[in-house]
């Protein structure tokens, strides 16, 4: 029985009795685990296995799996492939502005690092060539990097760069802040960008690099950046959905936007 469990784990504490009734056992267990995660454990703490939780609370592993899965969906817990389940770390909140990953993380008191995974000078896809203003079959610089903050994988970046604007880029130190490199070495200060954000599931390769399960939510950013009106960068980044969120300030006072809706109207 649940009350007879001898499991010693700081997450578990005394086993609460789950009762038959109108509230399903998985919902009762979910709220017990929620309180334990929110009130007793710091972010990143390991959660006991499904087997230990099932034994401790006297329920089936299917019940545990459903309760834990709901908390993962809510973002309170996080599953890490090959390691287990953990209380989730707070999400990094990003304002949409033109800044480098390095600047962004340091401003939040985190230590950024970069691993260069691959690079090449090759002919880009047609949409990238158009975005960078390249001629047909003209090569561009391609750069593939993994970005971490305080040692935790945060983002995978695949970027294309205009060789006319940054000649010899691939011979530079590509593990540092790229925007800093562009400004210091090429006097290229990116001053404008057009960015699209969408939600997706991580493909197996991206999931492996980010340390999450395939299909886990990621935020995908595609940004084309310019300097003085000249296109320099076409970058796509995949950010972990469990560690990253975007905040936008919305303003209704735009020319031609029309009158404000009456209170109580639909959006």
């Amino acid at each position: 029985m649940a009350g007879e469990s001898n499991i010693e784990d700081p997450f578990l504490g005394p086993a609460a009795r789950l009762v038959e009734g109108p509230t399903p056992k998985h919902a009762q267990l979910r709220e017990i685990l929620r309180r334990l995660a929110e009130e007793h454990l710091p972010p990143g703490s390991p959660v006991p296995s499904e087997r230990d939780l099932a034994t401790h609370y006297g329920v089936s592993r299917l019940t545990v799996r459903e309760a834990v899965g709901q908390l993962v969906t809510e973002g309170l817990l996080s599953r890490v492939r090959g390691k287990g389940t953990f209380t989730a770390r707070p999400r990094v909140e990003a304002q949409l502005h033109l800044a480098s990953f390095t600047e962004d993380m340091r401003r939040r008191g985190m230590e950024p690092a970069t691993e260069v995974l691959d690079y090449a000078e090759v002919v880009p896809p047609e949409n990238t060539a158009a975005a960078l203003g390249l001629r047909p079959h003209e090569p561009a610089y391609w750069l593939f990097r993994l970005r971490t903050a305080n040692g935790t994988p945060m983002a995978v970046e695949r970027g294309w760069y205009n060789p006319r604007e940054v000649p010899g880029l691939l011979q530079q130190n590509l593990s540092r802040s790229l925007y800093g490199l562009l400004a210091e070495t090429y006097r290229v200060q990116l001053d404008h960008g057009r960015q699209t954000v969408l939600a997706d599931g991580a493909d197996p390769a991206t999931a492996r690099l980010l340390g999450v399960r395939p299909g886990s939510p990621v935020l995908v950013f595609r940004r084309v950046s310019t300097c003085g009106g000249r296109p320099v960068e076409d970058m796509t980044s995949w950010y972990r959905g469990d560690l990253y969120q975007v905040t936008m300030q919305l303003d209704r006072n735009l020319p031609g936007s029309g009158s404000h809706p009456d209170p109580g109207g639909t959006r």
Side-chain angles (χ1 to χ4, degrees):
M1 296 295 293
E4 298 173 350
S5 171
N6 292 319
I7 297 172
E8 294 183 3
D9 191 295
F11 186 93
L12 295 171
R17 182 174 295 277
L18 305 182
V19 300
E20 300 290 348
T23 303
K25 286 188 176 182
H26 71 80
Q28 297 177 51
L29 179 58
R30 179 193 63 212
E31 296 312 308
I32 292 170
L33 299 181
R34 184 196 305 281
R35 288 194 300 272
L36 289 169
E38 290 179 339
E39 299 173 9
H40 299 288
L41 288 175
S45 298
V47 174
S49 68
E50 290 180 0
R51 179 187 307 223
D52 286 348
L53 288 171
T55 300
H56 190 72
Y57 290 104
V59 295
S60 70
R61 292 181 66 175
L62 183 61
T63 296
V64 172
R65 190 172 300 124
E66 188 165 0
V68 171
Q70 290 174 3
L71 295 177
V72 169
T73 300
E74 292 179 21
L76 187 62
L77 300 181
S78 175
R79 290 190 176 108
V80 180
R81 186 180 56 169
K83 295 183 179 179
T85 304
F86 300 82
T87 52
R89 296 179 176 89
R91 285 181 169 87
V92 172
E93 183 172 317
Q95 301 283 344
L96 292 183
H97 61 284
L98 192 57
S100 74
F101 176 89
T102 299
E103 294 168 342
D104 205 13
M105 294 303 109
R106 284 181 176 160
R107 188 173 61 252
R108 301 170 197 284
M110 306 175 77
E111 184 59 35
T114 301
E115 180 181 353
V116 179
L117 301 174
D118 200 1
Y119 59 89
E121 183 175 1
V122 293
V123 176
E126 288 184 8
N127 63 335
T128 293
L132 294 179
L134 302 178
R135 296 182 296 271
H137 308 298
E138 183 178 0
Y141 298 139
W142 178 72
L143 181 56
F144 181 24
R145 303 195 299 174
L146 173 66
R147 315 302 299 273
T148 65
N150 290 349
T152 299
M154 289 288 291
V156 171
E157 295 180 346
R158 295 177 175 90
W160 293 91
Y161 296 87
N162 190 333
R164 299 184 211 159
E165 302 297 329
V166 289
L169 176 66
L170 300 186
Q171 280 69 58
Q172 305 294 331
N173 177 10
L174 302 175
S175 63
R176 57 169 296 192
S177 167
L178 203 61
Y179 284 13
L181 170 65
L182 297 183
E184 294 168 16
T185 303
Y186 297 97
R187 301 294 186 264
V188 170
Q189 187 75 51
L190 298 180
D191 53 22
H192 179 77
R194 182 176 179 84
Q195 182 163 269
T196 300
V197 184
L198 58 90
D200 202 357
D203 62 68
T206 299
R208 177 178 55 80
L209 291 170
L210 293 178
V212 298
R213 292 176 180 271
S216 295
V218 289
L219 289 173
V220 185
F221 297 79
R222 188 198 174 194
R223 180 163 70 194
V224 177
S225 304
T226 61
C227 173
R230 304 184 309 277
V232 176
E233 173 191 64
D234 182 357
M235 165 75 74
T236 303
S237 305
W238 289 259
Y239 279 80
R240 284 179 56 163
D242 61 332
L243 296 181
Y244 208 78
Q245 65 186 28
V246 177
T247 299
M248 293 171 280
Q249 181 172 324
L250 305 178
D251 190 352
R252 177 67 173 172
N253 299 316
L254 296 175
S257 62
S259 60
H260 291 259
D262 293 332
T266 57
R267 291 187 293 162

